Amino acid sequence: MQHRHHHYSNQPHFSAASGPTTPFGSHVVVPSAGSESKRGKRRGSYTCGRCGQPKKGHKCHLPANSTADDSFVDEAPSPSFSDIRPPPPPRQPYSHLRRALSFDDDVDSSGGGGFDSPDLDEFGDSGDDIDLATGLGGLPASCLSEILKRLPPPGLLSAAMVCKGWRETTRRLWKAAEMLRIRVPTRAQVGFVGSVLQKCPALVNLSLRMESDVDATLLAWITFSCPNLEFLEINTTGSAINRITGDELGRFVVDRRFLKSLKMEGCSNLGGFSLCSSSLSTIWLSGLYSLSKMVFNCPNLKEISVDFSHEENDNTDLVTMADVLARNCPRLQNIHIASIRLSNTVVLALTAAKLRGLRMLSLVLGSEITDASVAAIASSYQNLELLDLSGSSISDSGIGIICNVFPDTLSRLLVALCPNISSSFIQFATAQLPLLELLDCGMTICDPNSPSAETNVRELPQASNDKVHNSYQKLIIKHARLKKLSLWGCSGLDALYLNCRELNDLNLNYCKNLYPERLVLQCPNLENVHASGCQELLIGAIQSQVDNNAAADNQLPCKRLADGSKRVGVPHFLSAEQPSEDDKKRRKIERRQCSVLVL
């Protein structure tokens, strides 16, 4: 069985394929004339051609027609292993070239020292076969692959230029890659993305963060290079412009037989589109503006999210879009529509579809949505798990309808930017919805005399005269399953009492009129409290109560009195079950630190 020492596998001017071996089992490196002629004459040899010893200060005792193989046989016998005594291993010539790869702990087993690996940029391809089972320098190929696969794409491209072994490993990584995330900087061209995609024929999931303009050329590269693509996401940042038109997007979707998810931002130039696919299950399109047509012919579509521009002159017909979704996408489960043109008519068109599998309904920024829409939703879809009516004009009556219809299913309720809702009905909703885990009431309890500066995203719906709250309000919430509560921008709130043992995230940003002495947080699992724009005294009170909750972890055991009237705390030394040292250490380790975030 051929054995090759890893120290000599990358030297272009030595061949270790044949030659005598030492008693220790290692090959003796013999100069090869064939390799010398193949490499071409670059510089003279530093070793003797007859005995292999360094030329400097050396007088060879062998005749001119003698070879290194003959000299090794004529040596004195070895007393321990055989009759052939090997000469000391030849010294390797010192190279001043920079090291392509260095292992400082790598030492020759026969006593030789380390050496500098030849630079492949200097010598070119060495011509030696690299053992991919052991990688380069003795490092297993599996370890090298695990290291290189954690590099970002630019780092992987640079690693391919180190040596032949790394180049082969990176080639196999690119070829086997199924998921890829790329950030395309402003100065990069679309051809750069195409050159990277050509290396990944097995790609299934592709996410692009474009800082440069996008056009149909990118879709052509994806079509040509990724035949098995299932998930595609294109995000635009900064001043990047998405120039893809609706016809180009429609042709791309038709050609992708395996595409399951399409997410794209900055779709302001679509104009109109028709998406026909039997494989698509998820569509996210944002930045839409003035679409002449919107056709979805996707029978297996389960989730759709369309986010329209906030321009007042957007003339997209949302009623027609709702009718098309109801007719061509019967399996829809999640619907998200964000548009200032949402109205009761659009909601009635959606409710007429009778989508039996609908579980999430999000209709955002529709200032014309009223309690009538809530009643239509409640009568058609009684199994909703998420309902988002942020930015609508629903009132306390709409909250009452939600509580009466969805007590056994609703787990997430978002009614931010709804100024007609009072704190008493928010409190009523938490009492009537036992499965609630997320509640967003941002900008609902507002001070009419001092609107928050954070409302510059859009104008709030005009509150009806009978719903204007001229005095500050208080909010008391006690819930067993609530995990996230958002009260951002509730400047009309001056008192808050929370008793939620599972709450881990609380947003109090810009609650400017909340009094520190009227804040009570009984939330032992609280991890994050957002308090940007709050008073310094309120931030200090939050921090103090958070620290007290952490310190309250060592609670005394409780027992009832003899008459069973009430429970009282009992010191540990009087309790039958005293906590052990292991229990104390475990409580200390499991104790979560809560962060008060102020930006």
Side-chain angles (χ1 to χ4, degrees), residues 98-358:
R98 65 178 178 85
R99 306 180 73 172
L101 186 61
S102 173
F103 294 98
D104 295 333
D105 295 334
D106 223 353
V107 180
D108 188 7
S109 61
S110 60
F115 63 93
D116 286 349
S117 301
D119 188 354
L120 294 179
D121 293 336
E122 184 82 14
F123 285 97
D125 196 350
S126 64
D128 294 336
D129 294 333
I130 296 179
D131 187 3
L132 296 179
T134 58
L136 185 65
L139 183 68
S142 59
C143 295
L144 184 61
S145 299
E146 288 296 326
I147 295 172
L148 293 182
K149 71 167 48 175
R150 287 164 170 78
L151 294 177
L156 203 58
L157 293 174
S158 301
M161 297 185 290
V162 173
C163 63
K164 183 177 180 179
W166 282 37
R167 182 166 61 251
E168 181 64 21
T169 303
T170 55
R171 185 190 67 81
R172 290 188 287 111
L173 287 177
W174 284 114
K175 190 175 181 180
E178 295 184 353
M179 181 176 180
L180 183 63
R181 294 189 180 94
I182 303 178
R183 182 184 66 86
V184 183
T186 306
R187 62 182 182 277
Q189 302 295 328
V190 179
F192 162 74
V193 181
S195 63
V196 174
L197 295 181
Q198 283 184 324
K199 301 175 183 289
C200 311
L203 202 62
V204 175
N205 192 328
L206 175 62
S207 178
L208 300 174
R209 183 182 177 186
M210 306 297 298
E211 297 179 0
S212 59
D213 293 349
V214 186
D215 54 17
T217 308
L218 177 63
L219 299 182
W221 274 113
I222 296 174
T223 302
F224 176 76
S225 305
C226 308
N228 301 319
L229 191 65
E230 297 182 4
F231 304 92
L232 174 61
E233 181 176 0
I234 301 177
N235 299 319
T236 56
T237 60
S239 59
I241 300 176
N242 188 345
R243 305 184 187 278
I244 298 175
T245 63
D247 294 336
E248 295 167 345
L249 182 61
R251 288 194 296 268
F252 172 79
V253 171
V254 169
D255 294 337
R256 313 311 301 166
R257 296 180 300 171
F258 304 104
L259 191 63
K260 297 180 180 179
S261 175
L262 174 63
K263 300 180 181 180
M264 185 180 298
E265 291 183 351
C267 304
S268 57
N269 294 314
L270 289 183
F273 59 84
S274 177
L275 302 182
C276 302
S277 174
S278 59
S279 61
L280 267 179
S281 61
T282 302
I283 296 178
W284 288 12
L285 301 175
S286 67
L288 299 172
Y289 175 72
S290 296
L291 298 180
S292 59
K293 65 175 181 178
M294 291 182 66
V295 178
F296 298 94
N297 189 6
C298 307
N300 294 317
L301 191 64
K302 295 182 179 180
E303 180 175 351
I304 183 171
S305 173
V306 286
D307 189 351
F308 290 86
S309 173
H310 300 164
E311 299 292 336
E312 293 290 342
N313 55 355
D314 184 10
N315 56 6
T316 305
D317 189 356
L318 297 182
V319 176
T320 304
M321 182 199 71
D323 293 335
V324 171
L325 288 176
R327 185 170 57 254
N328 299 333
C329 307
R331 299 186 179 182
L332 273 175
Q333 297 179 0
N334 303 331
I335 297 178
H336 170 78
I337 302 175
S339 174
I340 59 176
R341 295 183 60 84
L342 282 171
S343 62
N344 291 335
T345 308
V346 179
V347 176
L348 292 176
L350 284 175
T351 55
K354 299 295 182 181
L355 301 172
R356 297 180 179 179
L358 193 64

Side-chain angles (χ1 to χ4, degrees), residues 10 25 72 155 169 176 445 470 545:
N10 293 312
F72 293 150
T169 303
I445 310 173
N470 296 322
Q545 295 202 31

Side-chain angles (χ1 to χ4, degrees), residues 475 487 493-498 506 508 514 518-521:
L475 183 61
L487 299 172
L493 193 67
D494 65 345
L496 177 63
Y497 304 92
L498 297 180
L506 175 62
L508 298 177
L514 187 60
R518 296 183 181 179
L519 175 67
V520 177
L521 301 178

Side-chain angles (χ1 to χ4, degrees), residues 412-488:
R412 288 167 288 179
L413 177 62
L414 297 93
V415 288
L417 300 170
C418 298
N420 295 332
I421 300 176
S422 63
S423 61
S424 59
F425 269 79
I426 295 176
Q427 184 174 323
F428 176 75
T430 57
Q432 297 297 316
L433 300 174
L435 302 181
L436 202 62
E437 295 182 359
L438 183 148
L439 179 61
D440 185 2
C441 305
M443 295 296 298
T444 55
I445 310 173
C446 299
D447 184 2
N449 299 324
S450 177
S452 175
E454 296 299 311
T455 61
N456 55 2
V457 178
R458 62 177 300 276
E459 293 293 334
L460 290 176
Q462 294 295 326
S464 56
N465 294 331
D466 57 339
K467 294 297 180 181
V468 175
H469 306 285
N470 296 322
S471 60
Y472 292 111
Q473 305 176 58
K474 66 179 179 180
L475 183 61
I476 303 174
I477 296 179
K478 181 178 181 180
H479 203 280
R481 301 187 62 174
L482 190 64
K483 295 181 179 180
K484 293 186 179 182
L485 176 62
S486 179
L487 299 172
W488 59 274

